[in-house]
Amino acid sequence: MSSKLLVITALIGAISGCARAPKQMAAEPLPFELPSEWAVASSSLTQVQSGWVSQLADSQLEQYIRSVLAGNANYQALQAKAELFLLQYKGAQKDIYPSLELELAGNRQQVMRGALPGLEASKNAQLSLTVDWEFDLWGRLRASKRAALLQYQSEKEALHYAQLSLAAQGAKVWFERAEAFQLLVLGEQELKSLQLSKDVLQRRYRGGESSATALHQVDAQLALADAQVKQMRLQSANVERKLSVLAGELPVRESTASQVVFPSIPDFDVQQVPLASIEQRPDVKAAMAALKASDARASAAYYALYPQFRLSLVPALVSGQLTHADSTANTFNSSLAVLQPIFSRGNLKLESKKAQLAAQQEYWRYVQTLLDASESILAKVDGQQSLVGQLAAQENALQAALLAQESAQQDYYSGVADVQAWLQLQREYLALKKSVVKARTAALNNWVDIQLDMANPIFYEDVKNIAASSSAVTPKG
């Protein structure tokens, strides 16, 4: 039996082998070469000595980001999704080993003999243990197991990147809140200044010292400023609601902020940016793991074209008629089946081709993820220097505008200058201060984006545990 079986298996395997084995796309070279300065050991990538949130030196911001990571609903859903892939991996592990089923069955039969009313009862029972095992001769089950493991690893890396992105989003919403609050304060100050100008012009108009045109002009400016202040109040309330929802809380109707300030922009040295960390970013690692998982699925689909060997063992531990004392007997059935698809072979080839195309798709997704990551970090790094420079220039201009309006105020109280000249310089100072507020928000947002692009740890404890956390979440294959 064994020699014939081997001959048949060899013939079936030869027929199955006509299909071309899938190319492993993860081993394919990139369509471009990464710069040599990026090729450093991953162990040297962590340049941050403390979490980036700590560098902002804002305890309220840190507390808010922690609440966001603990309560955000979308992040909780992603965590559940990762656990789902872990269960799928555990299920794929079990497919490699024999399955055991314990069966207890019984029946009762009554037989009528001719026209006689008497019945003869027969009772049977059986206790059996079924062992079913598919020999993974070609590696189909092992490839499926590897695909499940890699997909789980991809989801864990994606979850890590989602955590980093959520922390960055929380920080930027916090900055948006500070911007909205400060712009509202400046808008209200500008509104008061315009109202004071209107009062002065009204007195002059009644005294014949001013024209109606000037009064109408300040009325228009006052109405526009009032509309802008109303819009700023709405914007401030919307940001407060956004803060609540991001942390998994019901939105509030009114702003609870009485004083909101910006944190200081941490020092930034472009030479300290580890460009090699691009390949170590969680989103890039997730894309690579997804690519390898697709390769494994393509291999599993290819091996499905080969014959399957299945062994079944059914020992009956207790069987027979229970009405007879000597009817209990033990039996042992075994079978070895070789299953080769014939009529469904076309569908299996189609599934194999689809799996190979899916792997090619994941390859180009990985390439695009690398390109997007490279473009993002280089743009943010170059942009940070420009944004900080613009902020410094606007702050210098703001200081000069402050001195000008203070000088005009002194001239007014000394009777040298007109009150309108002072109020006009005051409003120019407030307008410039609004620009400084927006520039500070832009610089802070860009700095946070750099921390995300570099996949820097969020908190100080993340720095201490970064090596352990990168290995503890991945089960062994």
Side-chain angles (χ1 to χ4, degrees):
M1 189 273 291
S2 60
S3 60
K4 292 182 179 180
L5 181 61
L6 288 176
V7 173
I8 295 174
T9 302
L11 291 175
I12 295 175
I15 295 174
S16 302
C18 293
R20 179 175 298 180
K23 182 189 298 184
Q24 297 297 295
M25 297 303 300
E28 287 293 296
L30 293 172
F32 49 81
E33 290 187 9
L34 292 176
S36 58
E37 62 267 21
W38 294 7
V40 300
S42 60
S43 60
S44 63
L45 296 179
T46 304
Q47 305 290 334
V48 182
Q49 299 300 319
S50 62
W52 61 261
V53 173
S54 302
Q55 297 181 54
L56 294 171
D58 188 332
S59 58
Q60 290 185 337
L61 171 59
E62 179 173 347
Q63 182 180 0
Y64 173 69
I65 292 179
R66 290 184 185 276
S67 67
V68 167
L69 295 177
N72 183 265
N74 289 329
Y75 183 62
Q76 300 299 323
L78 289 176
Q79 287 181 312
K81 181 182 177 183
E83 293 300 318
L84 176 61
F85 278 94
L86 175 60
L87 293 179
Q88 292 179 356
Y89 164 65
K90 292 180 177 179
Q93 276 185 309
K94 295 179 180 179
D95 291 340
I96 298 179
Y97 302 103
S99 63
L100 302 177
E101 291 185 4
L102 184 64
E103 179 182 4
L104 176 62
N107 65 76
R108 184 176 185 274
Q109 184 179 18
Q110 291 181 330
V111 181
M112 179 179 292
R113 294 184 177 181
L116 298 178
L119 298 177
E120 181 176 336
S122 176
K123 297 180 181 180
N124 291 279
Q126 176 175 302
L127 177 64
S128 62
L129 178 67
T130 303
V131 180
D132 190 10
W133 187 13
E134 178 183 345
F135 292 104
D136 192 25
L137 185 61
W138 318 111
R140 181 181 67 86
L141 296 179
R142 292 193 298 273
S144 297
K145 172 191 171 184
R146 175 171 170 78
L149 172 61
L150 288 167
Q151 194 62 52
Y152 170 66
Q153 291 175 348
S154 177
E155 291 298 325
K156 289 298 289 185
E157 293 294 345
L159 179 64
H160 183 199
Y161 189 71
Q163 181 192 48
L164 299 177
S165 300
L166 185 59
Q169 183 182 0
K172 290 194 283 188
V173 173
W174 187 270
F175 303 152
E176 185 181 358
R177 180 198 194 199
E179 176 186 301
F181 178 83
Q182 295 191 19
L183 289 179
L184 177 59
V185 171
L186 293 173
E188 290 173 342
Q189 291 177 358
E190 184 180 13
L191 190 62
K192 291 179 180 179
S193 177
L194 285 168
Q195 184 61 54
L196 183 58
S197 291
K198 179 180 178 180
D199 295 341
V200 172
L201 286 173
Q202 282 180 333
R203 289 195 298 269
R204 290 183 176 181
Y205 177 73
R206 287 192 294 266
E209 300 176 1
S210 178
S211 66
T213 302
L215 188 59
H216 293 325
Q217 285 179 338
V218 77
D219 277 336
Q221 294 175 354
L222 187 61
L224 179 61
D226 184 56
Q228 291 175 343
V229 167
K230 287 182 171 62
Q231 179 63 32
M232 290 173 185
R233 289 197 182 102
L234 177 61
Q235 177 64 21
S236 181
N238 288 338
V239 173
E240 289 291 335
R241 285 189 278 268
K242 189 187 300 185
L243 280 167
S244 300
V245 172
L246 193 62
E249 302 172 355
L250 287 175
V252 296
R253 293 187 59 87
E254 299 293 339
S255 174
T256 58
S258 57
Q259 179 69 25
V260 183
V261 297
F262 283 109
S264 300
I265 302 176
D267 294 334
F268 178 78
D269 184 2
V270 66
Q271 301 299 326
Q272 293 181 356
V273 177
L275 296 179
S277 64
I278 289 178
E279 289 189 285
Q280 298 299 320
R281 278 175 42 149
D283 57 331
V284 175
K285 292 169 71 175
M288 173 54 74
L291 171 57
K292 292 180 178 179
S294 290
D295 279 341
R297 283 191 290 269
S299 297
Y302 171 72
Y303 294 140
L305 295 169
Y306 284 76
Q308 299 179 20
F309 295 84
R310 187 174 295 276
L311 175 64
S312 295
L313 303 176
V314 186
L317 305 180
V318 179
S319 63
Q321 297 185 11
L322 299 181
T323 55
H324 298 80
D326 58 348
S327 61
T328 300
N330 295 325
T331 62
F332 187 88
N333 298 323
S334 63
S335 64
L336 176 63
V338 180
L339 307 176
Q340 171 62 30
I342 298 177
F343 296 106
S344 62
R345 182 172 175 77
N347 290 334
L348 291 177
K349 281 188 173 181
L350 179 61
E351 292 300 322
S352 178
K353 183 61 177 177
K354 287 167 60 177
Q356 294 178 46
L357 290 175
Q360 294 180 24
Q361 184 182 30
E362 290 296 338
Y363 169 79
W364 291 111
R365 284 178 178 172
Y366 171 72
V367 170
Q368 190 60 49
T369 302
L370 262 181
L371 290 173
D372 291 342
S374 304
E375 185 275 335
S376 179
I377 190 170
L378 292 176
K380 296 298 191 303
V381 168
D382 292 342
Q384 187 67 11
Q385 292 179 311
S386 175
L387 289 171
V388 172
Q390 293 176 33
L391 176 60
Q394 290 187 8
E395 286 178 337
N396 291 335
L398 181 66
Q399 184 64 28
L402 175 62
L403 294 175
Q405 74 99 10
E406 288 178 347
S407 177
Q409 181 182 15
Q410 292 176 359
D411 291 342
Y412 165 67
Y413 287 131
S414 301
V416 178
D418 185 70
V419 64
Q420 289 292 76
W422 165 42
L423 294 175
Q424 180 61 35
L425 287 174
Q426 183 185 68
R427 288 192 291 273
E428 290 177 1
Y429 166 76
L430 293 174
L432 187 55
K433 194 169 184 179
K434 289 180 182 179
S435 299
V436 170
V437 169
K438 295 177 181 179
R440 182 172 295 277
T441 303
L444 280 168
N445 285 342
N446 195 76
W447 183 86
V448 169
D449 284 335
I450 291 176
Q451 309 311 307
L452 173 60
D453 284 340
M454 292 166 54
N456 282 335
I458 304 171
F459 304 113
Y460 174 69
E461 60 266 25
D462 297 331
V463 179
K464 296 190 298 181
N465 301 324
I466 188 170
S469 63
S470 62
S471 58
V473 297
T474 302
K476 296 181 179 180

